Coordinates of all heavy atoms in Angstrom, one line a residue:
A1 N -10.2 -28.8 -10.7 CA -10.0 -28.0 -9.5 C -8.5 -27.7 -9.4 O -7.7 -28.4 -9.8 CB -10.5 -28.7 -8.3
I2 N -8.3 -26.5 -8.7 CA -6.9 -26.1 -8.5 C -6.7 -25.8 -7.0 O -7.8 -25.5 -6.3 CB -6.4 -24.9 -9.3 CG1 -7.3 -23.7 -9.0 CG2 -6.5 -25.3 -10.8 CD1 -6.7 -22.4 -9.6
T3 N -5.5 -25.8 -6.5 CA -5.3 -25.4 -5.1 C -4.6 -24.0 -5.2 O -3.7 -23.8 -6.0 CB -4.3 -26.4 -4.4 OG1 -5.0 -27.6 -4.4 CG2 -4.1 -25.9 -3.0
Y4 N -5.1 -23.1 -4.4 CA -4.6 -21.7 -4.4 C -4.5 -21.2 -3.0 O -5.6 -21.1 -2.3 CB -5.5 -20.8 -5.3 CG -5.0 -19.4 -5.4 CD1 -3.9 -19.0 -6.1 CD2 -5.7 -18.4 -4.7 CE1 -3.5 -17.7 -6.2 CE2 -5.3 -17.1 -4.8 CZ -4.2 -16.7 -5.5 OH -3.8 -15.4 -5.6
K5 N -3.3 -21.0 -2.4 CA -3.1 -20.4 -1.1 C -3.9 -21.3 0.0 O -4.5 -20.7 0.9 CB -3.6 -19.0 -1.0 CG -2.7 -18.1 -1.9 CD -3.0 -16.6 -1.7 CE -2.1 -15.7 -2.5 NZ -2.5 -14.3 -2.4
G6 N -3.9 -22.6 -0.2 CA -4.5 -23.5 0.8 C -6.0 -23.7 0.6 O -6.6 -24.4 1.3
F7 N -6.6 -23.1 -0.5 CA -8.0 -23.2 -0.8 C -8.1 -24.1 -2.1 O -7.3 -24.0 -3.0 CB -8.6 -21.9 -1.1 CG -8.7 -21.0 0.1 CD1 -7.7 -20.2 0.5 CD2 -9.9 -21.0 0.8 CE1 -7.8 -19.4 1.6 CE2 -10.0 -20.1 1.9 CZ -8.9 -19.3 2.3
E8 N -9.1 -24.9 -2.1 CA -9.5 -25.6 -3.4 C -10.4 -24.8 -4.1 O -11.5 -24.4 -3.6 CB -10.0 -27.0 -3.0 CG -10.3 -27.8 -4.3 CD -10.9 -29.2 -4.0 OE1 -10.4 -29.8 -3.1 OE2 -11.9 -29.5 -4.7
L9 N -10.2 -24.5 -5.4 CA -11.0 -23.7 -6.2 C -11.5 -24.6 -7.3 O -10.7 -25.3 -8.0 CB -10.3 -22.5 -6.8 CG -9.5 -21.6 -5.8 CD1 -8.8 -20.5 -6.6 CD2 -10.4 -21.1 -4.7
K10 N -12.9 -24.7 -7.5 CA -13.4 -25.5 -8.5 C -14.5 -24.8 -9.3 O -15.4 -24.2 -8.7 CB -14.1 -26.8 -7.9 CG -14.7 -27.7 -8.8 CD -15.2 -28.9 -8.1 CE -15.8 -29.9 -9.1 NZ -16.4 -31.1 -8.4
P11 N -14.4 -24.7 -10.7 CA -15.4 -24.1 -11.4 C -16.8 -24.8 -11.2 O -16.8 -26.0 -11.1 CB -15.0 -24.2 -12.9 CG -13.5 -24.6 -12.8 CD -13.3 -25.3 -11.5
A12 N -17.8 -24.0 -11.1 CA -19.2 -24.5 -11.0 C -20.1 -23.7 -11.9 O -21.2 -23.3 -11.5 CB -19.6 -24.4 -9.5
V13 N -19.7 -23.5 -13.1 CA -20.4 -22.7 -14.1 C -21.8 -23.4 -14.4 O -21.9 -24.6 -14.3 CB -19.6 -22.4 -15.4 CG1 -18.4 -21.7 -15.1 CG2 -19.3 -23.7 -16.1
E14 N -22.7 -22.6 -14.8 CA -24.0 -23.1 -15.1 C -24.4 -22.5 -16.5 O -24.1 -21.4 -16.8 CB -25.1 -22.6 -14.1 CG -24.9 -23.2 -12.8 CD -25.9 -22.7 -11.8 OE1 -26.3 -21.5 -11.8 OE2 -26.4 -23.5 -11.0
H15 N -25.1 -23.3 -17.3 CA -25.5 -22.9 -18.6 C -26.8 -22.2 -18.4 O -27.8 -22.7 -17.8 CB -25.7 -24.2 -19.5 CG -26.0 -23.8 -21.0 ND1 -27.3 -23.9 -21.6 CD2 -25.2 -23.2 -21.9 CE1 -27.2 -23.5 -22.8 NE2 -26.0 -23.1 -23.0
L16 N -26.9 -21.0 -18.9 CA -28.1 -20.1 -18.8 C -29.0 -20.3 -19.9 O -28.7 -19.9 -21.1 CB -27.7 -18.7 -18.6 CG -26.6 -18.4 -17.5 CD1 -26.1 -17.0 -17.5 CD2 -27.2 -18.8 -16.1
R17 N -30.1 -20.9 -19.7 CA -31.0 -21.3 -20.8 C -31.5 -20.1 -21.6 O -31.6 -20.1 -22.8 CB -32.2 -22.1 -20.3 CG -31.9 -23.5 -19.8 CD -33.1 -24.2 -19.3 NE -32.7 -25.4 -18.7 CZ -33.2 -26.6 -18.9 NH1 -34.2 -26.7 -19.8 NH2 -32.9 -27.6 -18.3
E18 N -31.9 -19.0 -20.9 CA -32.4 -17.9 -21.6 C -31.5 -17.3 -22.6 O -31.9 -16.9 -23.7 CB -32.9 -16.8 -20.6 CG -34.1 -17.3 -19.8 CD -34.5 -16.3 -18.7 OE1 -34.0 -15.1 -18.7 OE2 -35.3 -16.6 -17.9
S19 N -30.2 -17.1 -22.2 CA -29.2 -16.5 -23.1 C -28.3 -17.5 -23.9 O -27.7 -17.1 -24.8 CB -28.3 -15.6 -22.3 OG -27.5 -16.3 -21.4
G20 N -28.3 -18.7 -23.4 CA -27.4 -19.7 -24.0 C -26.0 -19.5 -23.6 O -25.1 -20.2 -24.2
R21 N -25.7 -18.7 -22.6 CA -24.3 -18.4 -22.2 C -24.0 -19.1 -20.9 O -24.9 -19.8 -20.4 CB -24.1 -16.8 -22.0 CG -24.3 -16.2 -23.4 CD -24.3 -14.6 -23.3 NE -23.0 -14.1 -22.8 CZ -21.9 -13.9 -23.6 NH1 -22.0 -14.2 -24.9 NH2 -20.8 -13.4 -23.1
W22 N -22.8 -19.0 -20.5 CA -22.3 -19.7 -19.3 C -22.0 -18.7 -18.2 O -21.5 -17.7 -18.4 CB -21.1 -20.5 -19.6 CG -21.3 -21.7 -20.5 CD1 -21.3 -21.6 -21.9 CD2 -21.7 -23.0 -20.1 NE1 -21.7 -22.8 -22.4 CE2 -21.9 -23.7 -21.3 CE3 -21.9 -23.6 -18.9 CZ2 -22.3 -25.0 -21.4 CZ3 -22.3 -24.9 -18.9 CH2 -22.5 -25.6 -20.1
S23 N -22.4 -19.1 -16.9 CA -22.2 -18.1 -15.8 C -20.8 -18.2 -15.3 O -20.1 -19.1 -15.6 CB -23.2 -18.6 -14.7 OG -22.8 -19.8 -14.1
T24 N -20.5 -17.2 -14.5 CA -19.2 -17.1 -13.7 C -19.5 -17.6 -12.3 O -20.1 -16.8 -11.6 CB -18.6 -15.7 -13.8 OG1 -18.4 -15.3 -15.1 CG2 -17.3 -15.6 -13.0
R25 N -19.1 -18.8 -11.9 CA -19.4 -19.3 -10.6 C -18.4 -20.3 -10.3 O -17.9 -21.1 -11.1 CB -20.8 -20.0 -10.7 CG -21.3 -20.5 -9.4 CD -22.8 -20.8 -9.6 NE -23.4 -21.3 -8.4 CZ -23.7 -22.6 -8.1 NH1 -23.4 -23.5 -9.0 NH2 -24.2 -22.9 -7.0
A26 N -18.0 -20.3 -9.0 CA -16.9 -21.3 -8.5 C -17.2 -21.7 -7.1 O -17.9 -21.0 -6.4 CB -15.6 -20.7 -8.6
L27 N -16.7 -22.8 -6.7 CA -16.8 -23.3 -5.3 C -15.4 -23.2 -4.7 O -14.4 -23.7 -5.2 CB -17.2 -24.8 -5.3 CG -17.3 -25.4 -3.9 CD1 -18.3 -24.8 -3.0 CD2 -17.6 -26.9 -4.0
I28 N -15.4 -22.5 -3.5 CA -14.1 -22.3 -2.7 C -14.2 -23.2 -1.5 O -15.2 -23.1 -0.8 CB -13.9 -20.9 -2.3 CG1 -13.8 -20.0 -3.6 CG2 -12.6 -20.8 -1.5 CD1 -13.7 -18.5 -3.2
T29 N -13.3 -24.1 -1.3 CA -13.3 -25.0 -0.2 C -12.0 -24.8 0.6 O -10.9 -24.7 0.1 CB -13.3 -26.5 -0.7 OG1 -14.5 -26.7 -1.5 CG2 -13.4 -27.5 0.5
K30 N -12.2 -24.8 1.9 CA -11.1 -24.7 2.8 C -11.2 -25.8 3.9 O -12.3 -25.9 4.5 CB -11.1 -23.3 3.5 CG -10.0 -23.1 4.5 CD -8.6 -23.1 3.9 CE -7.5 -22.7 4.9 NZ -6.2 -22.7 4.3
H31 N -10.2 -26.6 4.0 CA -10.2 -27.7 5.1 C -9.6 -27.1 6.3 O -8.4 -26.7 6.3 CB -9.5 -28.9 4.5 CG -10.1 -29.5 3.3 ND1 -11.1 -30.4 3.4 CD2 -9.9 -29.2 2.0 CE1 -11.5 -30.8 2.2 NE2 -10.8 -30.0 1.3
H32 N -10.3 -27.2 7.4 CA -9.8 -26.8 8.7 C -9.7 -28.1 9.5 O -10.4 -29.0 9.2 CB -10.7 -25.8 9.4 CG -10.7 -24.5 8.8 ND1 -9.8 -23.5 8.9 CD2 -11.6 -23.9 7.9 CE1 -10.1 -22.4 8.2 NE2 -11.2 -22.7 7.6
A33 N -9.0 -28.1 10.6 CA -8.9 -29.3 11.5 C -9.9 -30.4 11.2 O -9.6 -31.4 10.5 CB -8.9 -28.9 12.9
N34 N -11.1 -30.3 11.8 CA -12.1 -31.4 11.6 C -13.3 -30.9 10.9 O -14.4 -31.4 11.0 CB -12.5 -31.9 13.0 CG -11.4 -32.7 13.6 OD1 -10.6 -33.3 12.9 ND2 -11.3 -32.7 14.9
E35 N -13.2 -29.8 10.1 CA -14.3 -29.3 9.4 C -13.9 -28.9 8.0 O -12.7 -28.6 7.7 CB -15.0 -28.2 10.1 CG -14.2 -26.9 10.2 CD -15.0 -25.7 10.8 OE1 -16.0 -25.4 10.3 OE2 -14.5 -25.3 11.9
V36 N -14.9 -28.8 7.1 CA -14.7 -28.3 5.8 C -15.7 -27.1 5.6 O -16.8 -27.2 5.8 CB -15.0 -29.4 4.7 CG1 -14.9 -28.9 3.3 CG2 -14.1 -30.6 4.9
R37 N -15.1 -26.0 5.1 CA -15.9 -24.9 4.8 C -16.0 -24.7 3.3 O -15.0 -24.7 2.6 CB -15.4 -23.6 5.4 CG -15.4 -23.6 6.9 CD -14.9 -22.3 7.5 NE -14.9 -22.4 8.9 CZ -14.5 -21.4 9.7 NH1 -14.1 -20.3 9.2 NH2 -14.5 -21.6 11.0
E38 N -17.2 -24.5 2.8 CA -17.4 -24.4 1.3 C -18.3 -23.1 1.1 O -19.2 -22.8 1.9 CB -18.2 -25.5 0.7 CG -17.4 -26.8 0.8 CD -18.1 -28.0 0.1 OE1 -19.3 -28.1 0.2 OE2 -17.4 -28.8 -0.5
K39 N -17.9 -22.4 0.0 CA -18.6 -21.2 -0.3 C -18.7 -21.1 -1.8 O -17.7 -21.2 -2.5 CB -17.9 -20.0 0.3 CG -18.5 -18.7 -0.1 CD -17.8 -17.5 0.5 CE -18.4 -16.2 0.1 NZ -17.6 -15.1 0.7
F40 N -19.9 -20.9 -2.4 CA -20.0 -20.6 -3.8 C -19.9 -19.1 -4.0 O -20.4 -18.3 -3.2 CB -21.4 -21.0 -4.3 CG -21.5 -22.5 -4.6 CD1 -22.0 -23.4 -3.7 CD2 -21.0 -23.1 -5.7 CE1 -22.1 -24.8 -3.9 CE2 -21.0 -24.4 -6.0 CZ -21.6 -25.3 -5.1
V41 N -19.2 -18.7 -5.0 CA -19.0 -17.3 -5.4 C -19.4 -17.1 -6.9 O -19.2 -18.1 -7.7 CB -17.6 -16.8 -5.1 CG1 -17.3 -16.8 -3.6 CG2 -16.5 -17.5 -5.9
S42 N -20.0 -16.0 -7.2 CA -20.4 -15.8 -8.6 C -20.2 -14.3 -9.0 O -20.1 -13.4 -8.1 CB -21.8 -16.3 -8.8 OG -22.7 -15.5 -8.0
A43 N -20.2 -14.1 -10.2 CA -20.1 -12.7 -10.7 C -21.1 -12.6 -11.9 O -21.6 -13.6 -12.4 CB -18.7 -12.4 -11.2
A44 N -21.3 -11.3 -12.3 CA -22.3 -11.1 -13.3 C -21.9 -11.5 -14.7 O -22.7 -11.6 -15.6 CB -22.7 -9.6 -13.3
N45 N -20.6 -11.6 -14.9 CA -20.0 -11.9 -16.3 C -20.6 -13.2 -16.8 O -20.7 -14.2 -16.0 CB -18.5 -12.0 -16.2 CG -17.8 -10.9 -15.6 OD1 -18.1 -10.6 -14.4 ND2 -17.0 -10.2 -16.3
T46 N -20.9 -13.3 -18.1 CA -21.3 -14.5 -18.8 C -20.4 -14.7 -20.0 O -19.9 -13.7 -20.6 CB -22.8 -14.5 -19.1 OG1 -23.0 -13.5 -20.0 CG2 -23.7 -14.4 -17.9
F47 N -20.3 -15.9 -20.5 CA -19.5 -16.2 -21.6 C -20.2 -17.2 -22.5 O -20.9 -18.0 -22.1 CB -18.2 -16.9 -21.1 CG -17.3 -15.9 -20.2 CD1 -17.6 -15.9 -18.9 CD2 -16.4 -15.1 -20.8 CE1 -16.9 -15.0 -18.1 CE2 -15.7 -14.2 -20.0 CZ -15.9 -14.2 -18.6
A48 N -19.9 -17.1 -23.8 CA -20.4 -18.0 -24.8 C -19.8 -19.4 -24.7 O -20.4 -20.4 -25.1 CB -20.3 -17.4 -26.2
D49 N -18.6 -19.4 -24.3 CA -17.8 -20.7 -24.3 C -17.6 -21.2 -22.8 O -17.2 -20.4 -21.9 CB -16.4 -20.4 -24.9 CG -15.5 -21.6 -24.9 OD1 -15.8 -22.5 -25.7 OD2 -14.6 -21.6 -24.1
K50 N -18.0 -22.4 -22.6 CA -17.9 -23.0 -21.3 C -16.5 -23.0 -20.7 O -16.3 -22.6 -19.5 CB -18.4 -24.5 -21.3 CG -18.4 -25.1 -19.9 CD -18.9 -26.5 -19.9 CE -18.9 -27.1 -18.5 NZ -19.4 -28.5 -18.6
A51 N -15.5 -23.3 -21.5 CA -14.1 -23.4 -21.0 C -13.7 -22.0 -20.6 O -13.0 -21.8 -19.6 CB -13.2 -23.9 -22.1
E52 N -14.1 -20.9 -21.3 CA -13.7 -19.6 -21.0 C -14.4 -19.2 -19.7 O -13.8 -18.5 -18.8 CB -14.1 -18.6 -22.1 CG -13.7 -17.2 -21.9 CD -14.1 -16.3 -23.1 OE1 -14.8 -16.7 -24.0 OE2 -13.7 -15.1 -23.0
A53 N -15.6 -19.6 -19.5 CA -16.4 -19.3 -18.2 C -15.7 -20.0 -17.1 O -15.5 -19.4 -16.0 CB -17.8 -19.7 -18.4
E54 N -15.2 -21.2 -17.3 CA -14.5 -22.0 -16.2 C -13.2 -21.2 -15.8 O -12.9 -21.1 -14.6 CB -14.3 -23.4 -16.6 CG -15.6 -24.2 -16.6 CD -15.4 -25.6 -17.2 OE1 -14.4 -25.9 -17.9 OE2 -16.2 -26.5 -16.8
Q55 N -12.5 -20.8 -16.8 CA -11.2 -20.1 -16.5 C -11.4 -18.8 -15.8 O -10.8 -18.5 -14.8 CB -10.4 -19.9 -17.8 CG -9.1 -19.3 -17.6 CD -8.2 -20.1 -16.7 OE1 -8.1 -21.3 -16.9 NE2 -7.4 -19.5 -15.9
H56 N -12.4 -18.1 -16.2 CA -12.7 -16.8 -15.6 C -13.2 -17.0 -14.2 O -12.9 -16.3 -13.3 CB -13.8 -16.0 -16.4 CG -14.0 -14.6 -15.8 ND1 -13.2 -13.6 -16.0 CD2 -15.0 -14.2 -15.0 CE1 -13.6 -12.5 -15.4 NE2 -14.7 -12.8 -14.7
S57 N -14.0 -18.1 -13.9 CA -14.5 -18.4 -12.6 C -13.3 -18.7 -11.6 O -13.4 -18.3 -10.5 CB -15.4 -19.7 -12.7 OG -16.6 -19.3 -13.4
L58 N -12.3 -19.4 -12.1 CA -11.1 -19.7 -11.3 C -10.4 -18.4 -10.9 O -10.0 -18.2 -9.8 CB -10.2 -20.7 -12.0 CG -10.7 -22.1 -12.1 CD1 -9.7 -23.0 -12.8 CD2 -10.9 -22.7 -10.7
E59 N -10.2 -17.5 -11.9 CA -9.6 -16.3 -11.7 C -10.3 -15.4 -10.7 O -9.8 -14.8 -9.8 CB -9.4 -15.5 -13.0 CG -8.4 -16.2 -14.0 CD -7.0 -16.4 -13.3 OE1 -6.5 -15.5 -12.6 OE2 -6.4 -17.5 -13.5
F60 N -11.7 -15.4 -10.8 CA -12.5 -14.7 -9.9 C -12.4 -15.2 -8.5 O -12.3 -14.5 -7.5 CB -14.0 -14.7 -10.4 CG -14.9 -13.9 -9.5 CD1 -14.9 -12.6 -9.4 CD2 -15.8 -14.6 -8.6 CE1 -15.8 -11.9 -8.5 CE2 -16.7 -13.9 -7.8 CZ -16.6 -12.6 -7.8
A61 N -12.4 -16.6 -8.4 CA -12.3 -17.2 -7.1 C -10.9 -16.8 -6.4 O -10.9 -16.6 -5.2 CB -12.4 -18.7 -7.2
K62 N -9.9 -16.7 -7.2 CA -8.6 -16.3 -6.7 C -8.7 -14.9 -6.1 O -8.1 -14.6 -5.1 CB -7.5 -16.3 -7.8 CG -7.0 -17.7 -8.2 CD -6.0 -17.6 -9.3 CE -5.6 -18.9 -9.9 NZ -4.6 -18.8 -11.0
Q63 N -9.4 -14.0 -6.8 CA -9.5 -12.7 -6.3 C -10.3 -12.6 -5.0 O -10.0 -11.8 -4.1 CB -10.2 -11.8 -7.4 CG -9.4 -11.6 -8.6 CD -10.1 -10.8 -9.7 OE1 -11.3 -10.4 -9.5 NE2 -9.5 -10.7 -10.9
V64 N -11.3 -13.5 -4.9 CA -12.1 -13.6 -3.6 C -11.2 -14.0 -2.5 O -11.2 -13.4 -1.4 CB -13.3 -14.5 -3.8 CG1 -14.0 -14.8 -2.4 CG2 -14.3 -14.0 -4.8
V65 N -10.4 -15.1 -2.7 CA -9.4 -15.5 -1.7 C -8.5 -14.4 -1.3 O -8.1 -14.2 -0.2 CB -8.6 -16.8 -2.2 CG1 -7.5 -17.1 -1.3 CG2 -9.6 -18.0 -2.4
D66 N -8.1 -13.6 -2.3 CA -7.1 -12.5 -2.0 C -7.8 -11.3 -1.4 O -7.1 -10.3 -1.1 CB -6.4 -12.1 -3.3 CG -5.4 -13.1 -3.9 OD1 -5.0 -14.0 -3.1 OD2 -5.1 -13.0 -5.1
G67 N -9.1 -11.4 -1.2 CA -9.9 -10.2 -0.6 C -10.2 -9.1 -1.5 O -10.6 -8.0 -1.0
K68 N -10.1 -9.3 -2.8 CA -10.4 -8.3 -3.8 C -11.9 -8.2 -4.1 O -12.3 -7.3 -4.8 CB -9.6 -8.5 -5.0 CG -8.0 -8.3 -4.7 CD -7.2 -8.5 -6.0 CE -5.8 -8.5 -5.6 NZ -4.9 -8.9 -6.8
H69 N -12.7 -9.2 -3.7 CA -14.1 -9.2 -3.9 C -14.8 -9.6 -2.7 O -14.3 -10.3 -1.9 CB -14.5 -10.1 -5.1 CG -14.1 -9.5 -6.4 ND1 -14.9 -8.5 -7.1 CD2 -13.1 -9.8 -7.2 CE1 -14.3 -8.2 -8.2 NE2 -13.2 -9.0 -8.4

C-alpha cells in the first residue's frame, strides 16, 4: 500500500480464471475523524503479469483521487 494525498491506496487485483490474466482493481481508504471510508475502484484493463496489474491499479487509484475517473 502507498499513501497519496492523504489516501491509502492498496492494489486488490484478482486473477481472472477464464483469461488467466490479472484485473485492474484497488482499494482507496480515507481516514476521517472517527470513521474510515473505503472504496474499491476498477478498470477494464487486464494484464498477464500480477506485478504489472498491481502497479497499474495504483496509478489508476491515483487518477481516481485526482478526479480524473
